[in-house]
Amino acid sequence: MYAKFYICDMNETYIYIGKMLFYNAKIVIDKFHYTQVVTKAVDNVRKRIQKELSDNERKKFKHNRFVILKRKE
């Protein structure tokens, strides 16, 4: 029997080991680490845009980080 999927985080070492030990398996990055990378990227864009705003506009958006990251529902 062989593994169809190898689930790991985004660390290159884990991916390398997965390719060596489970060469037929599809490598899948786990949801937590994928979400973490996307969240950091969105937050970096938000910070960059906020720096370009006036002081008054920046104060309005200061605590809206979670509004941007929240599900649309």
Side-chain angles (χ1 to χ4, degrees), residues 16-61:
Y16 177 75
I17 290 170
K19 287 179 180 178
M20 284 182 52
L21 297 177
F22 308 105
Y23 49 88
N24 289 326
K26 180 84 169 171
I27 295 176
V28 179
I29 304 301
D30 71 272
K31 180 180 171 182
F32 172 79
H33 289 93
Y34 174 79
T35 303
Q36 186 180 42
V37 169
V38 171
T39 299
K40 283 182 182 180
V42 169
D43 207 35
N44 287 337
V45 171
R46 177 192 61 83
K47 287 177 184 178
R48 189 182 75 231
I49 291 171
Q50 250 181 297
K51 286 180 183 179
E52 298 171 2
L53 299 174
S54 68
D55 288 339
N56 190 30
E57 290 173 320
R58 192 176 307 127
K59 287 177 186 176
K60 289 179 186 177
F61 292 104

Side-chain angles (χ1 to χ4, degrees), residues 39 42-43 46 50 61-72:
T39 299
V42 169
D43 207 35
R46 177 192 61 83
Q50 250 181 297
F61 292 104
K62 186 173 184 177
H63 300 288
N64 288 334
R65 174 178 176 235
F66 296 107
V67 173
I68 294 169
L69 298 173
K70 195 174 180 179
R71 291 182 179 187
K72 71 178 187 177

Side-chain angles (χ1 to χ4, degrees), residues 2-17:
Y2 63 94
K4 290 184 181 182
F5 298 99
Y6 174 73
I7 301 171
C8 63
D9 69 14
M10 299 175 83
N11 185 304
E12 288 182 33
T13 304
Y14 293 128
I15 294 171
Y16 177 75
I17 290 170

